[in-house]
């Protein structure tokens, strides 16, 4: 079963995958110091993170994740009106999200190539926690995701 990108079910499954943490294969493939750094970083992550699917018609879709010590405490599809409540907003187009979830590149490469952009939040704080955000997104990419057909994605 696939979940439509930025649907209620997708956000729910995304949260579930993040709560599970990294896969065993991922954990074993990366040095323990990296995971220790992530755990230390999580202690400071009492934030609201928003992920955004930007649309050309300006009807952007928002997914909000309330994090307590880096763990998802709550999540929901929200509205643009809630945007001011987010500490960090990462967003991209449907093509960008397709590349993040199904593309050939590694998540860190996609962030470096600005497939998702920091739309709101303290840039310095974002980069201090960049690998936390990378692992958050990586966990979420395990959700089987369906994309509406567009000429750029088919």
């Amino acid at each position: 079963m696939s979940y439509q990108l930025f649907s209620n079910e997708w956000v729910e499954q995304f949260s579930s995958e993040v709560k599970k943490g990294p896969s065993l294969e991922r954990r074993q493939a990366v040095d323990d110091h990296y995971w220790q750094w992530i755990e230390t970083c999580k202690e400071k992550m009492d934030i609201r993170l928003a992920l955004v699917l930007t649309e050309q018609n300006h009807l952007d879709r928002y997914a909000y994740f309330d994090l307590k010590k880096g763990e998802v405490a709550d999540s929901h599809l929200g509205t643009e009106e809630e945007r001011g409540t987010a500490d960090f907003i990462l967003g991209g187009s449907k093509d960008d999200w397709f590349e993040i979830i199904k593309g050939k590149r590694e998540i860190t490469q996609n962030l470096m190539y600005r497939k998702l952009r920091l739309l709101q939040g303290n840039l310095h704080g974002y980069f201090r926690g960049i690998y936390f955000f990378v692992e958050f997104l990586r966990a979420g990419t395990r959700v089987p995701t369906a994309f509406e057909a567009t000429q750029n994605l088919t």
Side-chain angles (χ1 to χ4, degrees):
M1 170 177 226
S2 291
Y3 301 92
Q4 190 63 44
L5 182 67
F6 279 79
S7 65
N8 284 315
E9 297 81 12
W10 182 83
V11 172
E12 186 178 306
Q13 292 302 312
F14 195 104
S15 287
S16 177
E17 290 300 326
V18 170
K19 288 176 184 178
K20 290 177 189 174
S23 69
L24 181 59
E25 297 80 22
R26 173 81 179 141
R27 198 166 263 290
Q28 291 174 340
V30 179
D31 187 80
D32 283 341
H33 289 95
Y34 178 80
W35 301 114
Q36 290 167 7
W37 184 90
I38 295 286
E39 290 304 314
T40 300
C41 185
K42 285 170 116 179
E43 290 297 315
K44 300 173 189 156
M45 289 293 175
D46 289 342
I47 62 169
R48 175 173 264 194
L49 172 64
L51 302 179
V52 180
L53 171 60
T54 58
E55 300 276 8
Q56 290 180 354
N57 59 9
H58 301 291
L59 296 175
D60 299 343
R61 294 188 235 167
Y62 289 80
Y64 292 93
F65 300 87
D66 294 322
L67 306 177
K68 301 294 180 214
K69 296 199 182 287
E71 301 294 334
V72 177
D74 190 34
S75 63
H76 68 280
L77 263 187
T79 64
E80 186 172 6
E81 287 75 30
E82 291 177 74
R83 184 182 173 123
T85 67
D87 298 291
F88 296 97
I89 298 178
L90 297 174
S93 69
K94 193 175 295 176
D95 290 342
D96 296 330
W97 279 103
F98 183 86
E99 179 64 32
I100 289 284
I101 294 170
K102 297 192 179 209
K104 299 174 194 165
R105 289 189 200 100
E106 174 68 28
I107 296 250
T108 48
Q109 290 174 307
N110 280 321
L111 289 177
M112 288 182 344
Y113 296 147
R114 296 179 46 94
K115 289 297 176 183
L116 288 185
R117 290 163 298 290
L118 179 66
L119 302 176
Q120 178 176 301
N122 180 287
L123 184 64
H124 185 72
Y126 172 67
F127 279 110
R128 275 196 323 257
I130 190 67
Y131 294 114
F132 167 81
F133 294 109
V134 164
E135 294 304 324
F136 182 92
L137 291 167
R138 183 184 315 280
T141 64
R142 294 190 303 249
V143 176
T145 303
F147 292 83
E148 296 168 352
T150 69
Q151 65 187 105
N152 293 334
L153 296 179
T154 57

